[in-house]
Amino acid sequence: MANRTDPSAKSIRGTNPQNLVEKILRSKIYQSTYWKEQCFGLTAETLVDKAMEVEHLGGTYGGNRKPTPFMCLVMKMLQIQPEKEIVIEFIKNEDYKYVRILGAFYLRLTGSDIDIYRYLEPLYNDYRKLRQKLADGQFALTHVDEVIDELLTKDYSCDIAMPRIKKRWTIESLGALEPRRSALEEDFEEEEEKEDNDQPADELEDRTHEKDYYRGRSPTRERDRDRRRDSHRHRDRDYDRDYDRDYDRERGRGRDRDRDREKERDRDRYRIRDDKDYGRDREGRERERRERDRDRGRRRSYSRSRSRSRDRKEHDGGDYRKRRARGSISPRRHGDGAEDGEPKKKKEKKEKKEKKDDGTDHPDPEIAEANKLRASLGLKPLKL
């Protein structure tokens, strides 16, 4: 309940007045001790007493970003929304400078553009010193006019984003605000009047003639102005003619450049197409060569494997017979010629049979030579 906005308060800039302060800063203010102890139950009348006790201004400070009492009072004013007359009295208070800054800050957040310029610009003439608490907890020296200039020209002040306002010259052009007059303008006018009274009449006439000349009332001045205007007109006409000529020339160059660029693009397109066709043909030739080499390698490997298998069979057959003869159960008798001669006869018969099967003993020498070659390659002999 203590953090709610007054039900009778009006929305400012289409939102709740407390929403003009960012949510993080708003939550820190609600959690601060000063807000809970000193700002509870304040009204527009009792708020003045707390504002007179303020000793410095600022936003947040320290490592945990504690809000200053000045920021807590600004938040309380947004919550209770005091009347406009009370805020103006805050601004016009010359005895307590922090009360004036508090009212100016609140008006900058909630007031209209015309009211902001109308009530804050006179504070440029206030040069009193102020203490400002920085983010690191240290104090810095500033002045009232510097704070007012920050409120009117900067987007951020005391860790709060200022609402957008129109430029002063825009409001002046609409006629809603009079041109600003400096406080020193009256002093300058008084000094000019004193100088005019001290000077003699002749000097005054010469001075008025000079003023008329520079203000455009002298005929010579008008003649010089007409002559200068004619020279500017001729110069502008010559500039336009030169500009048109240069534009046409650059336009022609641009056309030639575009034409050359299109030619280069077509040439690159044809070159890419030729490269693709050449690459396709080359890939086809390489594929055919790889297939041819693969077939040739298959034939060679097949012939090698057949010859190798035949040699293995012959070798394994002889070893098997040797092992069987060596491991036979019947005892051998040394000096038995019949048993020693049987393996030799079988071997000779087998060799004769293999020779007959190979066809190497063919009566025709050419066929015998061809059978030898085919036998080395592992092929069947020719039978004629």
Side-chain angles (χ1 to χ4, degrees), residues 201-223:
D202 296 337
E203 293 182 359
L204 286 175
E205 290 179 358
D206 296 339
R207 191 169 182 180
T208 54
H209 179 71
E210 290 178 359
K211 288 182 179 179
D212 293 339
Y213 178 80
Y214 284 106
R215 289 176 184 173
R217 298 178 184 176
S218 174
T220 55
R221 175 72 174 175
E222 293 178 358
R223 195 182 309 113

Side-chain angles (χ1 to χ4, degrees), residues 47-83:
L47 183 67
V48 182
D49 300 333
K50 294 295 181 183
M52 288 189 297
E53 297 175 0
V54 175
E55 297 179 351
H56 59 273
L57 62 96
T60 56
Y61 66 94
N64 53 358
R65 314 303 295 170
K66 293 182 180 180
T68 58
F70 176 84
M71 189 54 56
C72 293
L73 292 177
V74 171
M75 191 69 183
K76 193 65 181 181
M77 291 182 70
L78 292 172
Q79 185 180 10
I80 63 178
Q81 199 178 44
E83 297 180 358

Side-chain angles (χ1 to χ4, degrees), residues 25 80 99 109 117 141 147 153 208 218 247 256 260 278 325 327 340 357 366:
L25 180 56
I80 63 178
V99 175
L109 287 174
Y117 284 109
L141 178 64
V147 176
T153 58
T208 54
S218 174
Y247 178 75
D256 296 339
D260 296 340
Y278 176 74
D340 294 338
D357 292 339
E366 294 180 359

